[in-house]
Amino acid sequence: MVTKKRSTVREKTANKRPKVMIGMGTCGLGAGAKGVLDSLEKELKSQKQVVDIVRTGCIGMCSYEVLVDVILPGRNRVTYSGVKPDMVPKIVEDHIRNGKVVSKFALSQMPLSGGVTKQYEELPFFDDLDQNRDQLRYVSRNCGIIDPDSVEEYIESGGYKALKKALGMKQIDVIGKVSMSGLRGRGGGGFDTGWKWESCAKYVNDVKYIICNADEGDPGAFMDRSLLEGDPHSVLEGMIIGGYAIGATKGYIYVRAEYPLAIERLELAIKQAKDNGFLGENILGSKYSLDIVLKEGAGAFVCGESTAMQFSIEGKRGMPRTRPPQSVEAGLWDKPTCLNNVETFANVPLIIDKGAAWYSQIGTEKSKGTKIFSLTGNVKRAGLVEVPMGTTIRRIVFDMGGGIPKKKKFKAVQIGGPSGGCLPEAFLDSPIDFESLKEAGAMMGSGSFVVVDETTCMVDMARFFLEFSTSESCGKCPPCRVGTVLMLEILNRITQGEGKEEDIEVLEKMSGEVRKMSLCGLGQAAPNPVRSTLRFFRDEYLAHIRDKECPTATCVALHKYTVIPDKCTKCTLCIRNCPVDAISGSRDEVAFIDKEKCIECNLCYDKCNFMAIK
Amino acid sequence: MKVNLEIDNKVVSVSKGTNIFMAAKDNGIYIPGLCYHPKLTHYGGCRLCMVEVTERGSTRHKFSCAQPVSEGMVVKTKTPECSKYTKAVMEYLLAQHPLDCPTCDKSGECGLQDVTHDLKLSKSRFRTVRLNEPMRRDNPLLEYNSNRCILCGRCVKVCKEVEGVGAIDFQNRGINTVVGTAFDKPLDCSFCGGCVSVCPTGSWQDRTLGFRARPWELKKTPTICTYCAVGCSLVMNSKNNKVMRVTSDDYDMGVNEGNLCVKGKFGHEFINSDKRVKTPLIRKGGKLRPVSWENALEYVSNGFSEIVNTHGGKAIGGIGSEKCTNEDNYLFQKFCRTILGTNNIDNISNMKSPSLNRLIIDAISYKLVARTLEEIEDADTIFFVGADVTEAHPVLGSMARKAIRQNKSKLIIANARNVEFNSTAKEDIRLNYKLGTQTILINALIKIIVDSKLVDLKKVDTSTKNFKELRALLKASDLGINKASSLTNIPEELIKNASEWLAKPGKCFIVCGKDLEEDPSCEEAIKALMNLCALINTGGADKVSLVFSRANNNSQGVNDMGVVPDFLPGYVDINDSVEKGSLEDFWGAKLPDCDSKNEGKDIFDLAVSKKIKALYVMGENPIVNYPDGKKVKDAFKKAEFVVVQDSFLTETAQLADVVLPSSSFVEKGGTFTNMGMTIQRLRKAIPQVGDSKPDWQIINDIAKRMGRSYSYTTSQQIVAEIENSVHMYKGISVNRLERKGFRWIASEYRKFRVATYDFENTVSKAKAIKKNAKYPFVLLTGSSLKHQGTFSRNSGSLASLTPDCYVEINRANAEKLKIEDGDMVKLESVRGKINLKVKISKRVPVGAVFVSEDYEWVPVNSLRDNGYINVKISKAR
C-alpha cells in the first residue's frame, strides 16, 4: 500500500515576505473571491503591508470557499475558509501584521516542504481534516497549492521532469510504461490507455493528432475544470508525453467555451510551455516537435463523444459516426488520432516520474490509480475528492462529504451523471472501480457524484437526467432521438399521475432497446438513470402509478394539498400566503386546507419549511 | 480480392471492403435499412440493419452497413433478437412520422412503408411525438416536409458528396432535428434533384409530379436524356400517355449511376407541352396554317423536286440535328445525298468548330481518347481545360467528385473564365489564364515537364516522331516559366504544380471543353493539348484519357453519322473513292462529289450568296444557335424554300415554308452517342403526341413521295443498316445496347494498332484579341446549367426557376460603369444590341462580359460573328 504523502506547500525558504493565496477557481469566484481580493488589496494598502498575492486554483473544498491562505515567512500555511470581504481587515491586522492566527476564521494549517516551519498550536493540519484524511491527492496535488499562472512554480514542484525523462526513452517504452501502470481512461469508458496509445502508434502517417477531451458536460461534474484551472501544466505535460509516445504532430485541446477561466489559464500555460521549450519545435532539444492548439466547443454535450468531437474540430456538425474505422486509424481529418480525457493526461507525468510499479500499487486489481470525484448534492461538504480506486461509497459520502445535512437520511448516489445510474443504501459499502460500478448498473462516467437524500423523488430524478439526454441528443439515430423522448413522455405521465401499470414494463424494455440500438455512448447510456431507478426504487414508481402519490411529495401534479399534522409546526406561513383563504388554523391549531376553496396553486407547499403539506 | 462468408446459411463471395449490407443485397438477401446508399459514404444513422455476426469464435450484433465483410464470417439476418430490436426502432420512427400516407406522393414507393410492411409491425406502444413544421415550397421544383423526415442523412450526403453543393444540412438537436438550409433561406442550389432521388420517405418531393399520379400508376420506361452530351440514363414515368416525372433511382444504371442534373430531372414538361407542333403546317398567305400529312408531304416533295430539277441537288442545303437520334441523322444524310443529290449537309456543332472531327479522329488513332466517360472515376488527376463542367456537363462533375472521393484525385481547372466547380478535393489548382493564351499555357506545361524531366524523355523519344524537333523548338523559344506566367497571368507556382500533377504516375483524365473547341485558334490549342497528352502518356502508357466536350445529347452521333460535308458516315473521307464506291454499292445509289469550290464556306454562306436555294432543317434552331446571327437570318430570308422538322415552332420554324411535326425523344426508339463515344438506346415511353412522327419516318415518307421509297418500317432496321455501313458501329446489334450501351471507341481500340504519335509544332506567339475603344469588352458565351434550347424553354417549372438570362460582368468593371446587380443594361456590338439584366460575378475576367447562349429566347448570336466580338455595355433606359 502506498503511504500517504503529506500535503505541503513548496516555498522558497528565502522568501522573506508574507504571502497570501486566494482560491480563484470558478468555485472561489462564484463564492465571491473577487470581492475578497479587492478588499484585501485595499486593506493591505491602508495597513501598509507588502505581501505577495497568489491566485490559486481549487483545492477541492468547494463548500468552504472563499479560501484565503496566509503564509508568513518561516511559518506554516494557514487556511481561512468562508472568507467574506468584511473579515479581511481582521485577518490582515491580526495575522499578517501581528503574526496571530484569527482562530475563529481559520480552518487548518499546512507545513511547507522546503524547510522546517513553525507550527501554530491548536490549529488542525489540512490533511487531518475529515474531508482530507482519506484522500490521496496525487493528480490534484498542485491544485490550490501552486500558482497556476506560474510555470516556475510547476517546475519547482517537480513539473516537466517526467517529460524530460520520457523524451529520453524510446516511444515504445513510454507506451510500455503506461500499459504496465494499468492506467485506464478517465473519460468514462475506462479504456486501457496504454493499449490505445499502442494501437495509434502503429499507424504510420505524416500527420497524427493527439486530442485532449476537456468538454466536460455532465451536470455536476467539474473535476476537469478544476484541474485545468488549478494545474494546467500537468495536463499539458501528460499530453506532450502522449504525443511523443504515439508520434503526434499536432495536438488539440477541446475545451468547453463555458470554462472561460480554464481557457485563459490554458492559453497562458501553452505560451509558457512554448517559451520554455516544452512545446513547439524540438522539444527540450530532442527531435520531437509538437504544437498544441485550443479549440473551444460550442456547447454540445455530444461533442464529448470522440468522433463527434473530431467533426466539431473539423468545423462540422458534432455528430458521432459509426466505427470502424477507429479514431486511432482514421480520426481527425482522416488521420490517426488519439483522444484522452484531461484527468487521464494528468495521470501520465506521475506514472513516468514515479514508475509503473509504484502507480499500479494504488487502486484495485483492475482499476489502478486514483480517481477524482466531484461530490455534490445533499452532502455537507461538497467539493472535489481524490481517492484511490476501490474506496467505498460510504467513506466518500460520510467521511469526506460529512454525511447528509439537516439530519436527513441518505437515499442514493447518482454516479456518472446522465449516463450513469443511481446506487441505493445497500451499495454504500461497495467499492468504486470501473467493474463494480458497471455491475451495479452505474458507471464511472467522468466522475460526477451526486448524493441524494430522502426528500428526493427518484422518478423525478430519472426524469431530470433523461430530459437532459433528450435535449442533448444530436438527432442522428432514432433510438436516442425518438426513443428517449418517448421514454420521457412516459415518465412525465407517471409524475403527473397518469401512469399505467404496463408503463414500467415498457420502460424496462425500452431501456434495453435504446441501449442496444443507439449509435454512440450518449444514446446507449441515456436510459441508465431510468434503468437503475427502476431497479432499486420500483416502489416509488408503483406509488406514483397505483396510489397516484409521490412518496417524497416532489411531483407537483400529485399533491393532495392536505396537511400532515405531525409535521405542522403551526407557524401559519401557509395561511398567510394562501391567495384564496382556503387554509384555516392558528398558532394553536394545525393548519387545515379546505378542498372546496383550494385552487391548487402550490404556494402553500412551496412556502412550508417543514414539508408538512403533501 | 474476394472474401467468402456465409449469410443466412448461404455461402457468398464478395469483393474485399464490401459491407455486409451490400454483400447480402447483391446476393438477394434482404436486410432492412433506410440510410445506407451505395453511391454515398455510409452514415449508420437509421439503426435498422442490425445482424448477428459470428467471427473468430465470438457472436455479436453488428450494424451491417458499417461492418466490412471478413473471411469466414457467419451472418444471420433474421434472428428473433435482430427482428425484435429492429422492430423497436421502426416503432420509434413511426411514433414520430406523421403517417399521412394518403396525401403523400411517395406512398407506394416509400422505404418507410416497405420496412414497416416487411417487419409486420402492428399497434404501437406509444403516443406520438410528431413535429409540426410547415411544408417548404420555396422553389418551383422541390418541396420539403420535415415532419416526414427520418433523418437518414442521404439528402445531406448526396448534396455534399455527389453534387458538391452542401446546400442542406442538419439543424437543431434531439427530437427537433431537421434538415434545412442555412438560416432557413430559400433553397439555392443546382437543383439536381438528388435529394428526391435518394429520399426513402416523402420528405423531398418532385413538384413536377405534383399529385398527378400515384407511383403504382406510373409506367416506367428507361431511356437516355436529351439534354447534354453526358448521356445519362433516366426513367420516364408516364400515366395516360403523358410523362409525369423523371426518376433515376437505380444506382448502377448507365453512366450517371442515378445522378442527374436539373434539366434531366425536371426538364420534361416540354414533352406534353401545349406548345408542341401537332400537325403539319404550310405557309399560305404569309401565315403557317395546319394541313394534313398528305398535303404537306406533297408540298415538300414538289418543292424539293422543283429545286433539284431547276438548280440541281446541290442547291439544297441540309441541317442535321444534334438532338435527333443516330437513325434520324443517318437517314437524313442518306436522303440528302442519294435522293436530293446534295453534299451540302452539315450540323451546327461542326459549323461551330469545323476542325474538331479531324482532331478527334487523330487523337483516337493515337489512343489518347478515353474509352468511356466512366474512366474519369479511375483517375488520379483530373484536368478540365476550357471546360465549364458545372454548367455544360453537370453529371460529369458528379463523376469527377466520385473520383475525388474514392481515389483522392487531384483536380486542375484551366479556363479563361473563373468557372465554378464544387470541388470536394482537398487540393485543386485553378489556372485562370488570360483570354487567348491557352496554347501558351499548354506549351508552358509541356516545357516544364520536358525541362524538369518529369517523364521518361528517352521513352517518349523512341516511341514518337518529331519529339526532338519539338524539344529543339521549345528550347529555342523564350517560353520560360516566368514569361509564361506573365503572358497567361497565372502565378508561376501554380503552373509548376499543375505540370507536376499531370506528369505524376496514375491515370490522368482530361476534358477538353467548349472554350477551347469553339475558339478561333481551336486547332492550335488542341494540337498542343494532344502534344501534352502524348508527352505524359510517354508513348502509349495508357495513362491519359482525353475527352472532347460535345454540347448536345447526340452531337457526337450526328458527326459519326456523316451529317457533315467532308465525311461519309463513320468519318470516311468523301474523296476516298474506294470507300465511296463501296458505300454507293451498298446503298445502290450514286453519291455526289464534294464541292471543292465551297472551301471554307458553310451552308449559310452559300445560302447568302444564293448558291443554295432551299434549306432542309431537321430538329435544329440555327436562327438562335448558329454563332453568326445576322448571317443565318439573311440565309433563311434569301432561301426560296425552307422545310423545318421540329417539335416546336422555333424561331427557325417560324421562317419555314413547311413545318413538319416531329416526335420528341420519348416517343420513339433509337440511339444516342454521348461524348464518350458510348451508344445508348432510347425506348419509346409514350405514343406520338398529336400527329407528330419520328424524324426518320418523316424522311421515309418524303422519300416515298419522291418516288424513291425505302423499306424501313422500324428504327431497328436502320440500326441494322448502320451496323453494316458505319464501320465503327460494327457489333452494335450483337451488343444489343443493354445496360451500359455500346462503346464504339473501345471496340475500335481493340481492333487497330496505335499510330506513332507525331508531335506537331504549336509553339507560337499569343494571338492578341483585338481591342476596340468604342466597344471595350469581349463577349464570351457558354453553356448554362438550367437551360438548353427549345426543350428547357418549354418546360414550365424549369423555366420558371431561372426566368432571366443575365449578362455577367466583373465587379471592377461594373463599379466603373456604375452598374449594379439586377440593372437592365444594353449590350451592343457592331452587329446588334440586346437588353439584359446584369449579374455581377466573379466568374468573368476583367474586360469581358459573359452571356449564356442556352437561353433560346435571348438572341445573343445577333451580336456575334464567328470569332471574338467586342461589345459595349450601358444602362438601358
Side-chain angles (χ1 to χ4, degrees), chain B residues 337 343 358 565-568 571-581 592-596 599:
Chain B
R337 283 192 163 120
N343 210 32
R358 262 174 219 286
D566 46 349
F567 287 122
L568 293 172
Y571 304 104
V572 169
D573 197 310
I574 191 119
N575 297 317
D576 183 335
S577 51
V578 182
E579 292 273 359
K580 192 176 162 192
D593 294 327
C594 185
D595 203 338
S596 54
E599 200 56 58

Side-chain angles (χ1 to χ4, degrees), chain A residues 348-402:
Chain A
V348 171
L350 271 176
I351 295 169
I352 301 296
D353 191 23
K354 302 197 170 169
W358 172 84
Y359 188 87
S360 59
Q361 288 175 60
I362 315 168
T364 65
E365 194 196 333
K366 285 186 174 164
S367 306
K368 300 294 183 193
T370 59
K371 172 80 190 109
I372 310 177
F373 288 100
S374 41
L375 181 59
T376 54
N378 304 122
V379 67
K380 276 186 190 150
R381 292 189 289 263
L384 286 183
V385 293
E386 183 175 349
V387 292
M389 293 279 188
T391 307
T392 62
I393 297 174
R394 187 186 297 280
R395 283 179 71 180
I396 294 178
V397 177
F398 290 96
D399 297 351
M400 297 167 202

